[in-house]
mmCIF file of all heavy atoms in Angstrom:
data_model
loop_
_atom_site.group_PDB
_atom_site.id
_atom_site.type_symbol
_atom_site.label_atom_id
_atom_site.label_comp_id
_atom_site.label_asym_id
_atom_site.label_seq_id
_atom_site.Cartn_x
_atom_site.Cartn_y
_atom_site.Cartn_z
ATOM 1 N N LEU N 1 32.064 7.491 69.938
ATOM 2 C CA LEU N 1 32.194 6.167 70.525
ATOM 3 C C LEU N 1 32.312 6.237 72.005
ATOM 4 O O LEU N 1 33.007 7.105 72.478
ATOM 5 C CB LEU N 1 33.320 5.325 69.877
ATOM 6 C CG LEU N 1 33.218 5.104 68.367
ATOM 7 C CD1 LEU N 1 34.525 4.334 67.948
ATOM 8 C CD2 LEU N 1 32.049 4.254 67.974
ATOM 9 N N GLY N 2 31.660 5.339 72.678
ATOM 10 C CA GLY N 2 31.715 5.438 74.185
ATOM 11 C C GLY N 2 31.966 4.109 74.796
ATOM 12 O O GLY N 2 32.421 3.136 74.156
ATOM 13 N N PRO N 3 31.611 3.999 76.083
ATOM 14 C CA PRO N 3 30.949 5.013 76.921
ATOM 15 C C PRO N 3 31.961 5.992 77.586
ATOM 16 O O PRO N 3 33.155 5.699 77.647
ATOM 17 C CB PRO N 3 30.256 4.160 77.977
ATOM 18 C CG PRO N 3 31.193 3.025 78.185
ATOM 19 C CD PRO N 3 31.777 2.632 76.831
ATOM 20 N N HIS N 4 31.365 7.141 77.980
ATOM 21 C CA HIS N 4 32.239 8.192 78.591
ATOM 22 C C HIS N 4 31.553 8.676 79.850
ATOM 23 O O HIS N 4 30.318 8.922 79.771
ATOM 24 C CB HIS N 4 32.479 9.320 77.602
ATOM 25 C CG HIS N 4 33.319 8.958 76.401
ATOM 26 N ND1 HIS N 4 34.657 8.764 76.495
ATOM 27 C CD2 HIS N 4 32.910 8.657 75.189
ATOM 28 C CE1 HIS N 4 35.083 8.425 75.305
ATOM 29 N NE2 HIS N 4 34.116 8.319 74.465
ATOM 30 N N GLU N 5 32.241 8.839 80.866
ATOM 31 C CA GLU N 5 31.671 9.297 82.142
ATOM 32 C C GLU N 5 31.993 10.751 82.402
ATOM 33 O O GLU N 5 31.425 11.400 83.126
ATOM 34 C CB GLU N 5 32.169 8.429 83.288
ATOM 35 C CG GLU N 5 31.803 6.925 83.270
ATOM 36 C CD GLU N 5 30.350 6.689 83.243
ATOM 37 O OE1 GLU N 5 29.599 7.531 83.835
ATOM 38 O OE2 GLU N 5 29.853 5.666 82.720
ATOM 39 N N GLU N 6 33.109 11.222 81.738
ATOM 40 C CA GLU N 6 33.580 12.579 82.040
ATOM 41 C C GLU N 6 32.695 13.617 81.442
ATOM 42 O O GLU N 6 31.991 13.359 80.489
ATOM 43 C CB GLU N 6 35.005 12.866 81.555
ATOM 44 C CG GLU N 6 35.119 12.672 80.012
ATOM 45 C CD GLU N 6 35.520 11.340 79.510
ATOM 46 O OE1 GLU N 6 35.067 10.310 80.126
ATOM 47 O OE2 GLU N 6 36.143 11.258 78.497
ATOM 48 N N LYS N 7 32.632 14.773 82.082
ATOM 49 C CA LYS N 7 31.814 15.902 81.637
ATOM 50 C C LYS N 7 32.727 16.793 80.742
ATOM 51 O O LYS N 7 33.854 17.064 81.075
ATOM 52 C CB LYS N 7 31.260 16.688 82.830
ATOM 53 C CG LYS N 7 30.287 15.960 83.644
ATOM 54 C CD LYS N 7 29.782 16.818 84.823
ATOM 55 C CE LYS N 7 28.765 16.066 85.623
ATOM 56 N NZ LYS N 7 28.275 16.844 86.815
ATOM 57 N N VAL N 8 32.221 17.185 79.636
ATOM 58 C CA VAL N 8 32.951 18.027 78.674
ATOM 59 C C VAL N 8 32.035 19.291 78.421
ATOM 60 O O VAL N 8 30.828 19.154 78.129
ATOM 61 C CB VAL N 8 33.207 17.297 77.349
ATOM 62 C CG1 VAL N 8 33.882 18.260 76.354
ATOM 63 C CG2 VAL N 8 34.124 16.116 77.647
ATOM 64 N N GLN N 9 32.698 20.412 78.411
ATOM 65 C CA GLN N 9 32.010 21.614 78.111
ATOM 66 C C GLN N 9 32.114 21.995 76.696
ATOM 67 O O GLN N 9 33.212 21.951 76.074
ATOM 68 C CB GLN N 9 32.593 22.813 78.921
ATOM 69 C CG GLN N 9 31.501 23.702 79.431
ATOM 70 C CD GLN N 9 32.037 24.801 80.460
ATOM 71 O OE1 GLN N 9 33.271 25.011 80.540
ATOM 72 N NE2 GLN N 9 31.207 25.407 81.248
ATOM 73 N N LEU N 10 31.009 22.200 75.984
ATOM 74 C CA LEU N 10 31.015 22.504 74.549
ATOM 75 C C LEU N 10 30.360 23.885 74.290
ATOM 76 O O LEU N 10 29.311 24.131 74.889
ATOM 77 C CB LEU N 10 30.293 21.425 73.741
ATOM 78 C CG LEU N 10 30.918 20.070 73.534
ATOM 79 C CD1 LEU N 10 29.981 19.146 72.753
ATOM 80 C CD2 LEU N 10 32.276 20.248 72.879
ATOM 81 N N TYR N 11 30.997 24.629 73.422
ATOM 82 C CA TYR N 11 30.374 25.842 72.904
ATOM 83 C C TYR N 11 29.595 25.467 71.739
ATOM 84 O O TYR N 11 30.099 25.144 70.689
ATOM 85 C CB TYR N 11 31.452 26.928 72.617
ATOM 86 C CG TYR N 11 30.955 28.192 72.186
ATOM 87 C CD1 TYR N 11 29.843 28.854 72.794
ATOM 88 C CD2 TYR N 11 31.486 28.835 71.010
ATOM 89 C CE1 TYR N 11 29.395 30.062 72.234
ATOM 90 C CE2 TYR N 11 31.009 30.039 70.523
ATOM 91 C CZ TYR N 11 29.957 30.653 71.137
ATOM 92 O OH TYR N 11 29.504 31.830 70.716
ATOM 93 N N LEU N 12 28.301 25.497 71.817
ATOM 94 C CA LEU N 12 27.404 24.872 70.792
ATOM 95 C C LEU N 12 27.132 25.818 69.582
ATOM 96 O O LEU N 12 26.777 25.336 68.540
ATOM 97 C CB LEU N 12 26.089 24.548 71.406
ATOM 98 C CG LEU N 12 26.073 23.350 72.405
ATOM 99 C CD1 LEU N 12 24.744 23.096 72.960
ATOM 100 C CD2 LEU N 12 26.650 22.091 71.720
ATOM 101 N N ARG N 13 27.336 27.097 69.745
ATOM 102 C CA ARG N 13 26.977 27.984 68.594
ATOM 103 C C ARG N 13 27.672 27.626 67.294
ATOM 104 O O ARG N 13 27.015 27.626 66.198
ATOM 105 C CB ARG N 13 27.313 29.460 68.941
ATOM 106 C CG ARG N 13 26.821 30.416 67.944
ATOM 107 C CD ARG N 13 26.806 31.889 68.432
ATOM 108 N NE ARG N 13 26.160 32.733 67.494
ATOM 109 C CZ ARG N 13 25.902 34.005 67.732
ATOM 110 N NH1 ARG N 13 26.131 34.509 68.909
ATOM 111 N NH2 ARG N 13 25.415 34.786 66.773
ATOM 112 N N PRO N 14 28.959 27.262 67.288
ATOM 113 C CA PRO N 14 29.578 26.819 66.030
ATOM 114 C C PRO N 14 28.960 25.585 65.435
ATOM 115 O O PRO N 14 28.875 25.468 64.198
ATOM 116 C CB PRO N 14 31.047 26.564 66.422
ATOM 117 C CG PRO N 14 31.220 27.384 67.658
ATOM 118 C CD PRO N 14 29.998 27.406 68.391
ATOM 119 N N PHE N 15 28.532 24.669 66.285
ATOM 120 C CA PHE N 15 27.838 23.460 65.766
ATOM 121 C C PHE N 15 26.552 23.839 65.080
ATOM 122 O O PHE N 15 26.147 23.303 64.004
ATOM 123 C CB PHE N 15 27.558 22.502 66.914
ATOM 124 C CG PHE N 15 28.809 21.791 67.406
ATOM 125 C CD1 PHE N 15 29.611 22.320 68.407
ATOM 126 C CD2 PHE N 15 29.062 20.484 66.946
ATOM 127 C CE1 PHE N 15 30.691 21.695 68.819
ATOM 128 C CE2 PHE N 15 30.214 19.770 67.389
ATOM 129 C CZ PHE N 15 31.026 20.374 68.355
ATOM 130 N N LEU N 16 25.790 24.718 65.688
ATOM 131 C CA LEU N 16 24.540 25.213 65.183
ATOM 132 C C LEU N 16 24.727 25.967 63.850
ATOM 133 O O LEU N 16 24.030 25.733 62.891
ATOM 134 C CB LEU N 16 23.748 26.072 66.127
ATOM 135 C CG LEU N 16 23.525 25.500 67.541
ATOM 136 C CD1 LEU N 16 22.862 26.512 68.390
ATOM 137 C CD2 LEU N 16 22.605 24.286 67.421
ATOM 138 N N ALA N 17 25.802 26.800 63.790
ATOM 139 C CA ALA N 17 26.044 27.649 62.600
ATOM 140 C C ALA N 17 26.341 26.656 61.411
ATOM 141 O O ALA N 17 26.026 26.982 60.263
ATOM 142 C CB ALA N 17 27.195 28.561 62.868
ATOM 143 N N LYS N 18 27.113 25.613 61.627
ATOM 144 C CA LYS N 18 27.463 24.655 60.619
ATOM 145 C C LYS N 18 26.461 23.526 60.393
ATOM 146 O O LYS N 18 26.578 22.712 59.419
ATOM 147 C CB LYS N 18 28.818 24.049 60.903
ATOM 148 C CG LYS N 18 30.052 24.784 60.428
ATOM 149 C CD LYS N 18 31.249 23.872 60.447
ATOM 150 C CE LYS N 18 32.399 24.502 59.674
ATOM 151 N NZ LYS N 18 33.646 23.591 59.696
ATOM 152 N N GLU N 19 25.428 23.460 61.176
ATOM 153 C CA GLU N 19 24.379 22.507 61.192
ATOM 154 C C GLU N 19 25.033 21.062 61.246
ATOM 155 O O GLU N 19 24.671 20.165 60.563
ATOM 156 C CB GLU N 19 23.571 22.632 59.894
ATOM 157 C CG GLU N 19 22.742 23.941 59.916
ATOM 158 C CD GLU N 19 21.852 23.980 58.699
ATOM 159 O OE1 GLU N 19 22.237 23.465 57.644
ATOM 160 O OE2 GLU N 19 20.788 24.612 58.751
ATOM 161 N N VAL N 20 25.982 20.936 62.170
ATOM 162 C CA VAL N 20 26.657 19.671 62.359
ATOM 163 C C VAL N 20 25.946 18.890 63.397
ATOM 164 O O VAL N 20 25.601 19.383 64.473
ATOM 165 C CB VAL N 20 28.133 19.906 62.756
ATOM 166 C CG1 VAL N 20 28.789 18.620 63.285
ATOM 167 C CG2 VAL N 20 29.018 20.441 61.587
ATOM 168 N N TYR N 21 25.669 17.619 63.043
ATOM 169 C CA TYR N 21 24.950 16.715 63.996
ATOM 170 C C TYR N 21 25.965 15.966 64.836
ATOM 171 O O TYR N 21 27.024 15.571 64.377
ATOM 172 C CB TYR N 21 24.205 15.682 63.211
ATOM 173 C CG TYR N 21 23.064 16.298 62.349
ATOM 174 C CD1 TYR N 21 23.335 16.832 61.075
ATOM 175 C CD2 TYR N 21 21.766 16.278 62.769
ATOM 176 C CE1 TYR N 21 22.329 17.472 60.323
ATOM 177 C CE2 TYR N 21 20.779 16.818 61.970
ATOM 178 C CZ TYR N 21 21.071 17.306 60.727
ATOM 179 O OH TYR N 21 20.064 17.898 59.912
ATOM 180 N N LEU N 22 25.619 15.943 66.160
ATOM 181 C CA LEU N 22 26.454 15.128 67.092
ATOM 182 C C LEU N 22 25.581 14.098 67.722
ATOM 183 O O LEU N 22 24.476 14.368 68.251
ATOM 184 C CB LEU N 22 27.004 16.110 68.168
ATOM 185 C CG LEU N 22 27.724 15.421 69.342
ATOM 186 C CD1 LEU N 22 28.949 14.713 68.884
ATOM 187 C CD2 LEU N 22 28.082 16.537 70.369
ATOM 188 N N SER N 23 26.065 12.823 67.654
ATOM 189 C CA SER N 23 25.259 11.745 68.314
ATOM 190 C C SER N 23 26.236 10.683 68.780
ATOM 191 O O SER N 23 27.452 10.700 68.449
ATOM 192 C CB SER N 23 24.284 11.153 67.285
ATOM 193 O OG SER N 23 24.961 10.490 66.254
ATOM 194 N N GLY N 24 25.653 9.712 69.458
ATOM 195 C CA GLY N 24 26.437 8.475 69.900
ATOM 196 C C GLY N 24 25.982 7.342 69.148
ATOM 197 O O GLY N 24 25.183 7.466 68.182
ATOM 198 N N VAL N 25 26.496 6.137 69.537
ATOM 199 C CA VAL N 25 26.069 4.937 68.926
ATOM 200 C C VAL N 25 25.831 3.913 70.078
ATOM 201 O O VAL N 25 26.690 3.736 70.935
ATOM 202 C CB VAL N 25 27.005 4.377 67.844
ATOM 203 C CG1 VAL N 25 28.398 4.195 68.441
ATOM 204 C CG2 VAL N 25 26.480 3.090 67.282
#
């Protein structure tokens, strides 16, 4: 849920390994 202006660093490999979807609305 947003909106968000801040920048966040994510390590994406675990998301890819679990096939987890990330989206906004």
Side-chain angles (χ1 to χ4, degrees):
L1 298 177
H4 296 281
E5 300 296 333
E6 64 268 32
K7 294 181 180 179
V8 176
Q9 219 171 17
L10 286 178
Y11 179 46
L12 292 178
R13 186 165 185 172
F15 286 85
L16 303 178
K18 271 193 166 182
E19 296 183 329
V20 169
Y21 296 82
L22 173 62
S23 68
V25 57

